[in-house]
Amino acid sequence: MALSGDNDFVVVANRLPVDLTTDADGARTWTPSPGGLVAALSPVLERFSGCWVGWPGVADTAPEPFRTESGVLLHPVELTATDYELFYEGFSNATLWPLYHDLIVTPVYDREWWDAYRDVNERFAAAVAEVAAEGATVWVQDYQLQLVPGILRQTRPDLTIGFFLHIPFPSADLFRQLPWREETVRGLLGADLIGFHLESNVANFLDLVRKVAGPGGSHIGQPDSLIVEGTPATRRVGARITAADGRSVGVGAFPISIDMDSLGESDPATVDKLRGEIGDPETVLLGVDRLDYTKGILQRLLAFEELLEAGALDPAEVVLVQVATPSRERIAHYQHARSQVEEAVGRINGRFAAIGRPVVHYLHRSLPKQTLHHYYALADVMLVTPFKDGMNLVAKEYVACHGDGSGSLVLSEFAGAAAELDRAHLCNPFDLESLKRAVVNAVRGLEHDPQTLHERMLAMHEQVATHDVRLWARSFLRCLGTLDDASVDESRA
């Protein structure tokens, strides 16, 4: 069986879904690491002799291409330590990430970073061109690879190309700060279909194209000409752009979701044990985030501190569990965010905890997925309060783990998930009073109005259950044209 050149469906993402494990004797093994995106795309990858192109996550080394047990080809793109520093930590996460998150911190516009970004995108595109069969479908994922569609359009015009952005897309006025804005837009317009989470992201991109394309460039088609499966047909969820080369480029909103099947069932005995380990409080508040300055973890802690100080929450009855997964720890803004969060945790415990009974339980490490599910089941109130988020799947995972209608969700109105989970206690995380009100309403509602909370959680659970990650993948690929004639099982893709 050939390992390249015969793949009819290719997914390309910054990361390859593999983990590197090192044995005691030093032997290294690469093993597939399924996640939500993998679960959504596996049926299509398997049916269409698929391939996944990506970086394996370790600098200066990569395995040879290999197939998973289900026959999906994993094709690595090797990145050097310099590539990682300039392309990933630099342009992707110190330029694009803050720009796309509405300048929560100031982006850095560095020409050397841009050169590295363009070079790495060219290498990813070359890898895709190598493995893709004639007329194949290629689905490019996320902000690290925005130039890949345009490069592929030049080198492999036979391909059908989709692109999906997993983070927010900013307003045109903010995006136009980017010195390489025209090149980035041209890269994206190499796709046949560009997907975002929200209609507001679509509107921002369309506005940008109007302002950046210029005379003789692209123009916008009818705003209701792209209907996305899973949304009411009356809603305007997309548009068609005529690119400079005459192609029709679709732009649409495809809100991503979770793989419900991967959540499993929580073990009540384990959940009870966890509650006992944190002092058996009446109420458990939970935050689960990457330790990222966009997630609003510090503001969440400050709101909690003020509620304890005012007596609105009793430290003898309530605890906050904050899981903060390490993230991009060599970047200065992330180091500062961690320092502020850990200082606040120490101060709050110093003021309000009893000996052997912290009021904030703080974990700065990754937890296994099943352990996280037990924490979701444990939590009476989930706090998801980012300043800006493309979607936020933690909110959906929490709701999915409460199919019995228990629990309560405090959710930032600036998380993409708020568009679908509008029965949550919505708040403005920039406003501590708004955040405090949402927390108090959620906690008090557990005691004083449990029926209303029950109904709200059940409604949100139904939304998540019926709009899962498979619907997201299916709706995008149908709009792209990949699934028009394919007999893919409705329950799997």
Side-chain angles (χ1 to χ4, degrees):
M1 181 187 299
L3 284 181
S4 63
D6 62 348
N7 300 284
D8 293 319
F9 182 65
V10 180
V11 174
V12 53
N14 176 61
R15 282 297 305 270
L16 203 64
V18 295
D19 290 325
L20 175 62
T21 57
T22 303
D23 299 335
D25 60 0
R28 303 203 298 179
T29 305
W30 299 90
T31 55
S33 55
L37 188 60
V38 180
L41 298 180
S42 287
V44 188
L45 284 163
E46 293 165 15
R47 184 188 186 282
F48 289 103
S49 302
C51 174
W52 189 301
V53 174
W55 174 52
V58 180
D60 296 309
T61 187
E64 290 297 316
F66 67 97
R67 291 195 182 274
T68 65
E69 292 181 358
S70 59
V72 176
L73 174 64
L74 300 182
H75 186 95
V77 176
E78 184 174 336
L79 297 183
T80 68
T82 300
D83 292 331
Y84 181 81
E85 178 184 354
L86 302 181
F87 153 75
Y88 183 75
E89 291 185 328
F91 196 81
S92 294
N93 291 311
T95 300
L96 294 178
W97 182 268
L99 176 64
Y100 283 30
H101 287 83
D102 292 351
L103 313 186
I104 293 172
V105 303
T106 303
V108 178
Y109 301 118
D110 184 294
R111 285 176 287 184
E112 186 180 11
W113 292 357
W114 163 254
D115 290 341
Y117 183 82
R118 183 173 54 199
D119 176 66
V120 171
N121 272 247
E122 288 172 351
R123 277 185 269 157
F124 271 83
V128 173
E130 177 186 346
V131 302
E134 183 74 19
T137 294
V138 176
W139 194 357
V140 185
Q141 306 289 331
D142 223 2
Y143 65 106
Q144 301 96 343
L145 302 177
Q146 293 175 111
L147 305 184
V148 168
I151 298 168
L152 284 175
R153 182 60 56 198
Q154 296 297 315
T155 60
R156 290 290 305 271
D158 59 294
L159 300 176
T160 298
I161 304 169
F163 176 88
F164 187 81
L165 184 70
H166 291 261
I167 66 174
F169 194 82
S171 71
D173 286 344
L174 290 183
F175 187 93
R176 286 162 64 202
Q177 291 186 14
L178 185 67
W180 308 279
R181 59 196 189 186
E182 288 87 0
E183 295 94 324
T184 304
V185 170
R186 284 199 299 270
L188 291 169
L189 289 175
D192 297 290
L193 176 63
I194 304 169
F196 302 93
H197 287 302
L198 304 177
E199 293 177 56
S200 59
N201 300 152
V202 173
N204 287 344
F205 181 75
L206 297 179
D207 187 30
L208 174 68
V209 171
R210 293 185 185 98
K211 292 179 177 177
V212 169
S218 306
H219 67 269
I220 311 299
Q222 292 298 316
D224 59 350
S225 62
L226 186 67
I227 302 300
V228 176
E229 181 183 2
T231 60
T234 55
R235 288 171 57 191
R236 295 181 172 186
V237 294
R240 294 282 177 186
I241 296 175
T242 301
D245 60 3
R247 290 179 301 107
S248 176
V249 178
V251 184
F254 304 85
I256 198 170
S257 193
I258 62 172
D259 176 22
M260 294 284 288
D261 294 341
S262 72
L263 294 175
E265 296 291 333
S266 60
D267 175 26
T270 301
V271 174
D272 288 343
K273 182 172 181 283
L274 284 175
R275 187 176 287 268
E277 289 173 350
I278 59 174
D280 199 24
E282 286 189 23
T283 306
V284 178
L285 312 181
L286 174 65
V288 175
D289 312 83
R290 284 189 308 105
L291 215 172
D292 187 299
Y293 55 79
T294 65
K295 300 300 183 182
I297 301 173
L298 177 63
Q299 281 61 35
R300 183 185 311 161
L301 290 166
L302 295 177
F304 184 60
E305 182 177 24
E306 290 190 8
L307 289 171
L308 293 171
E309 186 175 45
L313 296 179
D314 185 344
E317 298 178 352
V318 63
V319 300
L320 168 59
V321 177
Q322 177 61 58
V323 179
T325 304
S327 177
R328 303 166 189 165
E329 295 200 293
R330 301 199 311 178
I331 299 176
H333 287 301
Y334 289 79
Q335 295 170 351
H336 182 61
R338 177 180 177 182
S339 176
Q340 288 183 307
V341 164
E342 294 181 350
E343 178 184 340
V345 170
R347 185 182 64 249
I348 294 168
N349 278 330
R351 295 183 65 192
F352 300 104
I355 297 295
R357 191 183 174 94
V359 70
V360 179
H361 295 261
Y362 172 74
L363 300 176
H364 182 241
R365 59 179 181 270
S366 299
L367 295 179
K369 180 174 289 188
Q370 189 57 47
T371 301
L372 272 181
H373 297 164
H374 288 134
Y375 275 101
Y376 290 147
L378 167 70
D380 301 295
V381 179
M382 187 80 206
L383 306 179
V384 181
T385 57
F387 292 130
K388 189 77 172 180
D389 230 333
M391 178 53 63
N392 196 292
L393 297 183
V394 165
K396 292 188 175 184
E397 288 177 346
Y398 176 75
V399 168
C401 289
H402 287 263
D404 60 355
S406 63
S408 190
L409 174 64
V410 172
L411 180 61
S412 165
E413 62 191 68
F414 302 113
E420 297 173 278
L421 304 181
D422 56 0
R423 303 297 300 276
H425 296 275
L426 298 179
C427 67
N428 175 4
F430 294 92
D431 177 4
L432 282 185
E433 296 304 320
S434 172
L435 184 48
K436 287 158 60 178
R437 280 195 302 273
V439 172
V440 168
N441 288 339
V443 172
R444 290 180 177 171
L446 295 170
E447 179 181 356
H448 299 299
D449 195 6
Q451 183 59 35
T452 297
L453 288 189
H454 180 79
E455 293 170 357
R456 291 166 72 157
M457 287 296 294
L458 287 179
M460 291 190 290
H461 185 271
E462 175 68 14
Q463 165 66 30
V464 173
T466 57
H467 295 75
D468 65 0
V469 72
R470 290 174 174 81
L471 175 62
W472 167 79
R474 186 172 70 237
S475 61
F476 185 94
L477 293 173
R478 284 222 166 110
C479 282
L480 184 58
T482 302
L483 297 185
D484 280 356
D485 301 314
S487 55
V488 178
D489 185 86
E490 290 288 327
S491 67
R492 297 187 66 218

